[in-house]
Amino acid sequence: MEDVKKRKVGEAVGNGETSSSSSSSEEEMRLLLDPLPKPQLVHLLSKLGSQYPSIAEEIRSIASADPVHRKLFVRGLAWNTTSETLCAAFQVHGEIEEGAVISDKTTGKSRGYGFITFKHMESAHNALKAPSKMIDGRLAVCNLACEGLSGASTTPDLAQRKLYIGGLSPNITSEELLKYFEKHGDIEEGSVAYDKDTNVSRGFGFVTYKTVEAAKKAIDDPNKILGGRNIIVKLADSHKGKSLQTQLPTAVVPMALPMAAGYPQPGNAHAQPQISYAPVTLKKESLGLPSTPMGIGCHLVWCVWKLFGGIR
């Protein structure tokens, strides 16, 4: 039976019928598929791919052709993490085409993030199933590079899930910090803050929970003792606001503008008696005012300078 079919196909090709028949069939399929919604097309192709390996391979090839579907952005890396250790942490998900930690061009030191490009899109999807990964003692987080920082950690409730942890002992590691706080819920991201140059703990860290409820439990926990020290646990945003206030430049202080003698100083009306002066008519030429037009602001500044600085 198969031989009969092959003979018929061969005869059709010899007669030039296959090309017209094939193109007509393809055009017909396009007309049928074009109005279908995307979910229905995905379901159809998934079903065909599961039944026919050749179709599955074609779908896999097309989907993996664009690196945008296979490239991950990995943030929260330790300062001593190298491109080799980064790739080693992700190769369990599949073959890696390219991977690198991004370094500062001037100092050559890590900037705390990197990229992983898998050979197949399925590998990237497997990695994203568990986006938080412990690498060199720090809990790093990954998402598709095309999303940038608009991944899971920048959801609207991030401010209610990210905590500042202060008063840490210098000996507390990121693993110990995360182990202590995981009792309240699943942690998405977190680590001790380390100095870039010395890699020594700065005495504080951050923990981002996956839910707001877990973050509230951590804040409300009355027993906040880690490494023999009482630690501070509060929302990271509130700590950030306080830091900005304390960092305002102290050199900028309000000061009164100097005024000519006989004029009352603001807020000090009774310190000096107000003296009345006889009206004086000043000619434009005597003040040396410019004859060309200028903005009102500049003109007023010029007049004040001439009255109180230029006239002796």
Side-chain angles (χ1 to χ4, degrees):
M1 189 68 179
E2 286 294 327
D3 293 337
V4 174
K5 287 183 178 179
K6 287 180 181 178
R7 263 200 314 272
K8 288 183 177 180
V9 170
E11 290 172 0
V13 171
N15 295 330
E17 297 175 2
T18 302
S19 57
S20 60
S21 161
S22 174
S23 62
S24 173
S25 175
E26 183 177 344
E27 183 179 352
E28 184 182 357
M29 288 298 101
R30 285 181 179 276
L31 290 173
L32 290 172
L33 293 172
D34 188 58
L36 297 181
K38 181 179 177 180
Q40 195 168 353
L41 289 173
V42 170
H43 173 72
L44 179 62
L45 288 172
S46 300
K47 188 176 180 180
L48 290 172
S50 63
Q51 294 177 357
Y52 302 97
S54 60
I55 294 179
E57 188 58 35
E58 183 69 16
I59 294 172
R60 186 179 292 107
S61 176
I62 293 173
S64 298
D66 192 343
V68 74
H69 304 301
R70 326 182 251 112
K71 188 174 184 178
L72 302 183
F73 170 66
V74 189
R75 66 184 185 279
L77 297 175
W79 303 120
N80 60 337
T81 294
T82 63
S83 298
E84 290 74 19
T85 54
L86 176 64
C87 291
F90 280 90
Q91 66 184 4
V92 295
H93 301 294
E95 188 176 351
I96 294 175
E97 187 176 275
E98 186 179 6
V101 172
I102 305 303
S103 303
D104 186 272
K105 292 182 179 180
T106 306
T107 63
K109 294 182 179 180
S110 168
R111 299 182 67 178
Y113 64 88
F115 296 92
I116 289 288
T117 304
F118 286 100
K119 191 171 183 179
H120 301 292
M121 189 175 70
E122 297 130 308
S123 302
H125 287 177
N126 288 334
L128 291 172
K129 289 178 181 177
S132 302
K133 185 180 294 292
M134 187 68 71
I135 305 175
D136 291 332
R138 291 187 65 170
L139 191 63
V141 182
C142 67
N143 57 270
L144 283 174
C146 59
E147 297 175 354
L149 291 175
S150 62
S153 282
T154 54
T155 52
D157 63 352
L158 174 62
Q160 303 300 316
R161 297 186 290 112
K162 186 173 183 178
L163 304 182
Y164 165 83
I165 317 298
L168 294 176
S169 166
N171 301 322
I172 294 296
T173 64
S174 294
E175 292 100 324
E176 292 171 329
L177 177 70
L178 296 173
K179 186 177 180 180
Y180 176 85
F181 281 96
E182 68 183 5
K183 61 186 178 184
H184 301 298
D186 293 334
I187 296 175
E188 179 181 287
E189 185 177 2
S191 71
V192 172
Y194 293 94
D195 185 271
K196 287 186 179 181
D197 299 319
T198 63
N199 205 32
V200 175
S201 169
R202 299 177 64 186
F204 65 90
F206 296 93
V207 171
T208 303
Y209 284 99
K210 291 185 177 180
T211 64
V212 175
E213 292 73 20
K216 288 180 179 178
K217 288 181 182 178
I219 293 175
D220 296 337
D221 186 358
N223 301 316
K224 298 183 178 69
I225 300 176
L226 177 60
R229 288 190 178 188
N230 290 320
I231 58 174
I232 302 168
V233 181
K234 59 183 178 180
L235 291 174
D237 266 16
S238 62
H239 174 78
K240 182 179 179 181
K242 184 177 179 181
S243 299
L244 289 175
Q245 290 180 3
T246 57
Q247 290 173 5
L248 287 175
T250 54
V252 180
V253 293
M255 56 185 298
L257 292 173
M259 300 191 70
Y263 285 84
Q265 295 287 341
N268 196 21
H270 301 289
Q272 294 180 351
Q274 184 173 354
I275 303 174
S276 300
Y277 289 91
V280 177
T281 303
L282 297 175
K283 292 184 179 180
K284 182 176 179 181
E285 293 78 6
S286 65
L287 291 176
L289 293 175
S291 56
T292 57
M294 62 171 64
I296 282 191
C298 296
H299 186 78
L300 289 175
V301 171
W302 179 270
C303 290
V304 171
W305 180 83
K306 273 298 189 182
L307 285 173
F308 302 125
I311 299 177
R312 301 294 182 188

